Amino acid sequence: MSDEIAAVGWDAIDQALAQVYGEQEPKHYGTLIPYSLGGQDPLDGISVYKSETSIPHWHFVTYGFSELYEKEFENKDYSGYGFELTFRLVRQLDEEEPPAWALNLLQNMGRYVFNSGNVFRAGDYLDANGPICLDADTQLTALAFTHDPELAEIDTPNGKMEFIQMVGISEDELEAMQTWNTLGVLQAGMKQIPSYTTDLTRTSLLQNPEVAEAVVRGMEEDGSNTGFLFVDQLAWEVEKKSWFNKPSNVVQLGAKQAAVISKLLRGRILKDKDLTLVSQQITIIFKAGPQVGYSENGQEITITLNKAAVGELSQRLIPQESQFTISSLAGVSFQILKTHIKNQEGAVVKTIG
């Protein structure tokens, strides 16, 4: 860093960490070539501390989602994107260096935010569609986001920012978070993931009957907090009929998300809450109402369902190729398509449906 540039945001982060770790000197991994000049890593740096809180672990903290130097963002209330990411990873007793894959994972999160403009907030989740540590024998294939338990929101000269902790989660935990809420599931499993520390070797939280019961009870009582879901396989197609029949509209969904959407319909529509599914081509909004029907407005489709229609549709949404109608919704059928899961090289590694 140049002495001519005041790193006021960086200093504010360091001060917050000093309150937790005192004089401990972290292992710091900086970026040689800035992202803006063609470098591969978007974050300016990542510091890693040895923590003994709850269990021995590495505590990763990013530098770069917030404004580390002078103020550049128009929003004066928040520093940059308003957060930095943290990550806690179980540390082996003889381990002296933090695993490189975790550093790469955090830089990948930087690429996602910088390229998409989407930010992470407590309660968010992200499906990695594969092990969060490539080639690892782990059930953790997604990420959840919560507040770091030791680092509170801070005020910096460039605005406010919070520390959002990333947590490795399994596929069924992700589904539970979608159908209830992220923070509820994490809180229910706190005994198994102290300080929300990621352990690649752990099994699903839902294998604990108390956690599984809490999820079922929470979904029944609260419904789902997921009102907006991005779906890769989502389309609205017109199926042409003969001269004597009206064209039928077809909602196409991928098998991978059929079961989740089934639960979301019950957790949203039965609680009088909308559910919005979005793809790059179309937006489909499910609404609660006494009269079942649909309407089209350009690339936005609204489907209104009553309690009986939700029950009928949710029973048919299973991860298996099929096409069906529900009795009360005229002019619309639903088609479940196979989902092909691909690795980073584009090769199909799993087919659902």
Side-chain angles (χ1 to χ4, degrees):
M1 292 182 294
S2 170
D3 293 336
E4 298 178 1
I5 301 176
V8 293
W10 193 300
D11 291 341
I13 297 171
D14 284 347
Q15 290 169 15
L17 288 162
Q19 294 179 19
V20 177
Y21 291 107
E23 297 299 317
Q24 182 183 154
E25 189 71 25
K27 294 179 180 295
H28 187 78
Y29 301 85
T31 302
L32 292 176
I33 304 175
Y35 199 57
S36 59
L37 298 179
Q40 297 298 309
D41 297 327
L43 302 176
D44 285 38
I46 300 171
S47 283
V48 190
Y49 292 82
K50 278 188 174 181
S51 175
E52 307 299 331
T53 302
S54 302
I55 56 174
H57 65 270
W58 297 109
H59 189 192
F60 298 75
V61 182
T62 67
Y63 291 76
F65 292 104
S66 62
E67 291 168 289
L68 303 175
Y69 312 107
E70 62 261 4
K71 183 70 183 173
E72 295 180 353
F73 281 55
E74 292 183 3
N75 190 329
K76 296 181 179 179
D77 293 332
Y78 291 92
S79 174
Y81 291 107
F83 72 95
E84 291 292 349
L85 282 179
T86 72
F87 185 53
R88 296 175 188 265
L89 181 65
V90 167
R91 187 181 84 247
Q92 305 304 317
L93 294 179
D94 60 347
E95 201 171 32
E96 291 301 323
E97 294 292 331
W101 71 263
L103 300 168
N104 293 331
L105 178 62
L106 287 164
Q107 290 287 3
N108 282 336
M109 294 301 103
R111 293 182 189 96
Y112 171 79
V113 171
F114 286 27
N115 292 335
S116 70
N118 298 329
V119 300
F120 296 116
R121 294 288 180 256
D124 290 345
Y125 50 74
L126 183 69
D127 190 350
N129 288 317
I132 61 171
C133 173
L134 293 178
D135 301 323
D137 183 14
T138 180
Q139 294 183 26
L140 307 186
T141 58
L143 297 163
F145 299 84
T146 185
H147 291 109
D148 188 291
E150 290 187 299
L151 296 170
E153 181 181 271
I154 61 173
D155 288 312
T156 80
N158 291 328
K160 296 183 291 186
M161 57 146 289
E162 55 186 354
F163 295 93
I164 300 297
Q165 184 165 316
M166 194 167 68
V167 188
I169 57 172
S170 63
E171 185 176 358
D172 59 346
E173 292 163 2
L174 172 63
E175 184 174 312
M177 291 173 183
Q178 291 171 325
T179 54
W180 181 26
N181 70 72
T182 300
L183 301 183
V185 175
L186 290 176
Q187 183 63 39
M190 189 67 155
K191 290 181 181 178
Q192 293 164 253
I193 48 171
S195 298
Y196 303 125
T197 301
T198 294
D199 180 356
L200 292 177
T201 66
R202 74 170 177 86
T203 57
S204 169
L205 301 175
L206 298 177
Q207 291 189 12
N208 182 330
E210 292 183 3
V211 177
E213 290 172 10
V215 170
V216 172
R217 185 170 60 251
M219 195 182 91
E220 291 176 349
E221 294 177 356
D222 307 330
S224 170
N225 273 8
T226 303
F228 181 99
L229 187 68
F230 183 82
V231 184
D232 286 330
Q233 289 176 275
L234 177 69
W236 175 263
E237 299 289 341
V238 177
E239 191 176 69
K240 295 182 180 180
K241 298 291 185 178
S242 68
W243 290 104
F244 305 102
N245 296 321
K246 292 182 179 180
S248 175
N249 300 292
V250 184
V251 177
Q252 294 180 335
L253 296 166
K256 182 179 187 294
Q257 292 179 306
V260 171
I261 293 170
S262 169
K263 294 179 180 179
L264 287 176
L265 286 171
R266 297 198 299 271
R268 297 290 298 182
I269 307 304
L270 297 184
K271 297 292 182 180
D272 290 322
K273 301 175 182 178
D274 295 350
L275 172 63
T276 300
L277 306 181
V278 178
S279 72
Q280 293 181 346
Q281 291 78 33
I282 198 77
T283 297
I284 299 180
I285 304 170
F286 291 93
K287 290 181 173 290
Q291 298 297 321
V292 178
Y294 74 95
S295 62
E296 300 180 64
N297 183 12
Q299 297 302 106
E300 183 176 287
I301 312 299
T302 300
I303 299 176
T304 304
L305 303 172
N306 58 22
K307 184 176 181 180
V310 169
E312 186 179 355
L313 178 55
S314 62
Q315 286 184 345
R316 302 294 301 273
L317 288 173
I318 58 176
Q320 184 176 331
E321 263 193 316
S322 64
Q323 185 163 349
F324 59 88
T325 60
I326 58 175
S327 57
S328 57
L329 183 58
V332 177
S333 65
F334 295 84
Q335 184 178 15
I336 309 300
L337 305 173
K338 286 183 179 180
T339 298
H340 300 291
I341 306 297
K342 299 180 180 179
N343 61 19
Q344 290 186 324
E345 287 73 39
V348 176
V349 295
K350 183 180 180 181
T351 298
I352 302 172

